Amino acid sequence: MDTLTPLLVSDSLFPRGILPYLAGGLLVGLGAAVIYLATGIIAGASTFLESTLSYVSSVERFNRFKYVQSRDWRVVFTLGIVVGAAVWGLVLAPDPGIWTTDVQWWRLLGGGVLVGIGTRLGKGCTSGHGVCGVGSLSNTSLVNVATFMVFAIGTAQLVQAAGVSP
């Protein structure tokens, strides 16, 4: 324990200890590896969500052969994300219950739209680039993740400096 820096064991960074974060990271990495080894597909959430639109949209972009061919298991993966989060929040969390926020609906909607635009401009999301791309040392993903981080940190600093709160 003495060899760990105070930053690593800081209660403010890891209020529930480091184990839940370590376990979560290992499970995400394992899941991404299993999907890639079994299918050759990089497990980016934006592509998984986009492929589900082939069920309800006739837009060519959502009906590419690779999406339609693999959409059934991609839907199961996507539902697993939602169901897993719900089970954790409602049953397994240290303080189980329905999660709510004080953030106004229009801010959530606006943030979602901006994230969607960023995902398209960046040709992928933080899970695809951050977990799978960085893990495979993709130069594109390394640049994208650095860009995500710079803009996220910069935006958070600007919003805080402007005094904006939920």
Side-chain angles (χ1 to χ4, degrees):
M1 188 74 157
D2 293 333
T3 60
L4 294 176
T5 64
L7 182 63
L8 184 61
V9 295
S10 170
D11 287 342
S12 64
L13 290 177
F14 303 104
R16 294 187 178 122
I18 198 168
L19 189 58
Y21 304 99
L22 181 60
L26 289 172
L27 289 172
V28 168
L30 178 64
V34 166
I35 288 171
Y36 183 75
L37 292 172
T39 67
I41 294 173
I42 294 172
S46 62
T47 304
F48 280 63
L49 291 170
E50 188 174 294
S51 70
T52 62
L53 293 174
S54 66
Y55 285 109
V56 296
S57 174
S58 61
V59 174
E60 186 177 332
R61 169 181 189 75
F62 304 129
N63 285 284
R64 289 186 241 169
F65 178 72
K66 69 177 186 173
Y67 287 171
V68 173
Q69 180 185 17
S70 61
R71 69 183 179 183
D72 293 338
W73 74 263
R74 289 177 188 249
V75 168
V76 171
F77 175 87
T78 303
L79 289 173
I81 292 172
V82 174
V83 170
V87 167
W88 168 256
L90 295 172
V91 179
L92 301 173
D95 186 21
I98 295 177
W99 180 80
T100 61
T101 181
D102 293 330
V103 178
Q104 296 94 344
W105 69 269
W106 59 271
R107 286 186 179 178
L108 293 173
L109 179 64
V113 168
L114 290 174
V115 167
I117 291 169
T119 299
R120 290 289 15 115
L121 290 174
K123 295 188 178 3
C125 61
T126 52
S127 61
H129 285 298
V131 175
C132 301
V134 169
S136 64
L137 300 177
S138 161
N139 288 333
T140 301
S141 291
L142 290 167
V143 169
N144 280 356
V145 169
T147 303
F148 296 158
M149 295 305 294
V150 165
F151 277 90
I153 293 167
T155 301
Q157 294 300 313
L158 287 173
V159 167
Q160 183 180 18
V164 177
S165 64

